[in-house]
Amino acid sequence: ASLYYGQNGAGGLRCWYHGWKFDRSGTLLATPNEPGDSLMRRVRQPAYPCVEINGAVWTYMGPPQTRPEIPGLEWLLVPRENLYISKRLQQCHWTQGLEGDIDPSHLAFLHGETIAQGGGSSAGHASADWLRKSLAPAIEAIPRPNGILYASRRETGDEDNYFWRIGQWMLPWFTTIPAFPGSVPMLGHAWVPRDDESTVVFSFSWHPARAVSAAEVARYQTLGATHAVLAPDSFMPERDKSSEYVDPAKRNEPQPWMRISRFQDQDIAATEGIGPGFERSAEHLCSSDEVVARMRRTLMSAALQLEAGVEPPGRNAAEYRIRPYSVKLPRDGAPWHEVAAEAMRARPETFRASD
């Protein structure tokens, strides 16, 4: 029987089925339906150390002697009121969903109509047009010890400046979404595999210097722009594959893509729609997939190293103290990663509102 339904208390977790009781380390404490203590000397329940920080529970499932520090992600470091967390189940391999976060060129296509209609977190800002009209943004990627720093460059309609959107992928499954304009909370994801065909997706909205407002939380829970809108009392998206992600108000639109209105529903439809375990050898990667390709090579290299007994990169907590940023910069100025370096340092005093 699953210990999810166990009776928790009095120094242990008691199985609801036969009453066996285990402590937090997995040691068997009692077997009330079996006489003697021989079972207690030889039976042990697998257990993993857990830590709760800012509303998220972390566990380490590897050998105790190789347990690393918890990553120094900024949303773990801010006061709890500066953070909003949501969780959903996504029916695909974890890398399928993650790759949508680090694919800058899909914005104008998958989300273009929604942006044009005033949806999304860039609504009312000039950058909404820059995103929608830039069909082939220039993409640059820089390797970091724990992942990839990347940026997409778009035209702004003037001859002097480019618009740069800067994000990160960090081993193994953390992403940050390039920051939205103004002094608004930032967004990141953790794509945690449940098995080979489903993923638990944690979405984090945080602000380095202030609390997340009640109005912002209400938008996260109802608009589906940065957090999926969930079915009541569940972690399942309200609109899913069984309903073709359809917005009831758009049910009569002539083509299936026209019936999906929310940003997150569009992203989920794109990544779930190809099936839970897409055969990657059939793909045709191109220059716009540079970040995705680098991420895959990094993961494969880390897996091979681990198989050879070498611990993978990403074990230094300080390497995770970096945040996303968006900024308009002169075309002939210093490189984007140099200009934005201070703004990306994850400390309250370095926060700058994005352009």
Side-chain angles (χ1 to χ4, degrees):
S2 173
L3 285 175
Y4 175 83
Y5 299 103
Q7 299 167 345
N8 186 5
L13 186 64
R14 187 180 296 277
C15 179
W16 194 22
Y17 205 24
H18 292 106
W20 291 19
K21 184 176 181 179
F22 301 89
D23 70 11
R24 63 189 298 173
S25 70
T27 299
L28 182 57
L29 301 177
T31 56
N33 69 330
E34 292 287 339
D37 61 358
S38 62
L39 283 172
M40 288 186 282
R41 291 195 300 269
R42 59 186 174 86
V43 173
R44 189 177 183 85
Q45 172 67 29
Y48 303 101
C50 294
V51 178
E52 183 175 349
I53 307 175
N54 267 2
V57 177
W58 295 75
T59 187
Y60 178 66
M61 303 179 72
Q65 66 273 17
T66 62
R67 181 179 175 181
E69 299 177 89
I70 292 175
L73 297 154
E74 186 172 32
W75 57 265
L76 292 175
L77 308 175
V78 299
R80 182 64 181 88
E81 62 268 21
N82 291 27
L83 170 70
Y84 174 77
I85 303 178
S86 68
K87 180 173 79 171
R88 72 171 186 264
L89 184 66
Q90 191 155 323
Q91 303 293 348
C92 65
H93 192 272
W94 65 277
T95 57
Q96 286 175 214
L98 185 155
E99 288 173 359
D101 279 359
I102 59 175
D103 172 19
S105 71
H106 81 271
L107 282 169
F109 302 97
L110 185 64
H111 306 302
E113 287 298 315
T114 301
I115 295 173
Q117 295 167 15
S121 297
S122 297
H125 190 271
S127 61
D129 267 352
W130 305 338
L131 294 176
R132 185 171 60 87
K133 294 177 180 178
S134 294
L135 304 185
I139 298 169
E140 297 184 14
I142 299 173
R144 300 183 68 244
N146 69 333
I148 299 169
L149 173 68
Y150 70 92
S152 57
R153 189 193 73 200
R154 290 172 169 83
E155 296 288 341
T156 62
D158 68 63
E159 297 180 355
D160 299 322
N161 299 291
Y162 287 127
F163 179 53
W164 292 91
R165 301 183 77 238
I166 305 167
Q168 296 92 22
W169 165 67
M170 293 170 280
L171 281 158
W173 48 55
F174 300 106
T175 59
T176 63
I177 308 303
F180 303 113
S183 182
V184 297
M186 300 174 187
L187 176 66
H189 289 131
W191 299 86
V192 182
R194 190 177 72 159
D195 52 37
D196 284 346
E197 297 188 347
S198 63
T199 304
V200 179
V201 186
F202 294 85
S203 300
F204 311 97
S205 287
W206 80 95
H207 198 288
R210 66 163 175 85
V212 176
S213 71
E216 287 166 336
V217 170
R219 289 197 293 271
Y220 298 150
Q221 294 175 341
T222 59
L223 294 185
T226 53
H227 296 255
V229 178
L230 303 177
D233 301 317
S234 83
F235 295 116
M236 301 298 296
E238 181 182 57
R239 302 169 188 170
D240 60 16
K241 196 170 186 177
S242 66
S243 65
E244 297 185 345
Y245 315 94
V246 169
D247 179 346
K250 296 181 177 290
R251 188 174 300 279
N252 294 324
E253 294 290 343
Q255 297 184 41
W257 68 270
M258 297 177 178
R259 304 168 196 153
I260 307 173
S261 60
R262 295 170 177 158
F263 259 63
Q264 288 300 300
D265 294 341
Q266 292 162 354
D267 283 326
I268 296 170
T271 51
E272 286 187 345
I274 57 175
F278 184 70
E279 176 52 62
R280 304 306 176 89
S281 63
E283 288 182 317
H284 302 282
L285 296 184
C286 52
S287 60
S288 63
D289 299 306
E290 179 181 359
V291 188
V292 170
R294 284 176 178 262
M295 183 272 293
R296 292 183 186 178
R297 288 195 294 267
T298 302
L299 283 177
M300 289 188 289
S301 174
L304 292 171
Q305 286 181 326
L306 186 60
E307 189 176 46
V310 179
E311 288 299 312
R315 297 174 60 81
N316 183 348
E319 292 168 354
Y320 291 80
R321 292 175 187 158
I322 188 169
R323 67 168 70 109
Y325 191 50
S326 293
V327 63
K328 192 162 70 168
L329 296 174
R331 292 175 183 247
D332 57 357
W336 59 270
H337 52 90
E338 294 181 7
V339 176
E342 184 66 14
M344 290 190 292
R345 298 185 197 281
R347 300 193 307 271
E349 63 272 18
T350 63
F351 172 71
R352 301 177 192 169
S354 286
D355 290 344

